[in-house]
Amino acid sequence: MESLTITTSKQKLEGSVELPLSKSISNRGLIIAALSKGSVKNQRLSDADDTILLKKLLTQIHKGEDKQINCGNAGTTYRFLTALLAITSGEWLLVGDERMQQRPIGPLVNALKELGADISYIAKDGYPPLRITGKRLSGGYAYINSALSSQFVSALMMIGPLMKDGVKLLVSGDTASLPYIYMTKDLMKKAGAEVDFRLPEIVIAGGGYKEAVLPYEADWSAAAFWYELMALSKGGELFLPGLKEDSIQGDSVLHRYFYMLGVETIFEGAGARIKKNHWLAEGFNFELNDHPDLAPSLVVTTAAKGFEGNFYGINGLKIKESDRAEALATELGKNGIKCTIDHDLLSFLPQKLGVRQTIDTYNDHRIAMAFAPLAILGTPVTINNPEVVSKSYPGFWRELQKVLN
């Protein structure tokens, strides 16, 4: 399907929405299970493309017959497998698509080399693809700059228990997406790893993983687009099963962010119920360094409601599936909202958004899902390459149609 047009006459919402399971939890769970050689199990896994791909590639690595590992544009998968292959015996070629070759991997490779890994660049230094000769690493000290991605730190942490002497990481830089490092720590500890977490130092003991069954949760990052839809609607209620207030997902903070945009959350035993509260903050200044995946929904919601928006900590958006800050600014600009990007800040003044042009998605699932809720404003919204949502939320269009029809 080249494009999808979303229309609705609804202004108030009702019903229940099926959310995907967290792919962040699932992907870490798959890596830990693979490293445990079977002693760690995952209770349930996400059906997102990224998780399905990682599971397939781990099977390929385990069989050891095809040494070329193609991660496409799955950044988490690429970073986690860079570390895993560094300690997996064999000669490996870790590749990706054209966009992946623009996404830096240098800080992780540098840290792995400090630990004795044998990794070389095939094309441009600091970027995929990589040639990796996997071998047993003893461990020790390593410095890791986490300003670009927390996944560099998580990748190193998860292989730490497989090193004889463990690993002592000294984390430098203004860590991007810090809550995801805490998620990694929590899952590792559930799997029996010894993790001493005192930033800027993280100490992982050797000794491997122990028998465990890892948990699952509904995906808070995916819930953002339903919060957006509620914020733009005239009212009603939506029930989001599986969301936990005490989640290990950092993006659970979104229920507090969207409270400022007029959405109230009531937690119940089986999930979260959201509804309009008609209370709005006077200013909208969001710090997103810890929560970059919330940027698309927050940016589009704030613009559509005609408010001034200032979104700080957006540097990490430049190395996502697309340059997400530029993608948001371009698509909003086509439809009446002039944005300014200045280093680590995306901002705009109050303007009237009118959906007049088709939304390009830049092969980015979150761009597609962020603009789709604008249909609730009464104007049809056409999304190019709608299938891209399967990267994290295969059922999104089905659920949106269910709510809007």
Side-chain angles (χ1 to χ4, degrees), residues 128-188:
L130 298 174
R131 181 171 285 106
I132 302 172
T133 302
K135 59 184 179 180
R136 181 170 174 79
L137 300 179
S138 296
Y141 277 98
Y143 292 85
I144 178 68
N145 189 314
S146 60
L148 285 176
S149 176
S150 65
Q151 292 169 4
F152 299 156
V153 181
S154 290
L156 289 167
M157 287 173 65
M158 288 188 287
I159 65 169
L162 276 294
M163 299 185 196
K164 182 171 68 73
D165 300 325
V167 64
K168 299 177 179 66
L169 302 177
L170 187 61
V171 181
S172 64
D174 185 11
T175 302
S177 306
L178 181 60
Y180 286 93
I181 300 178
Y182 285 102
M183 176 192 288
T184 304
K185 176 202 70 172
D186 288 346
L187 291 170
M188 289 177 64

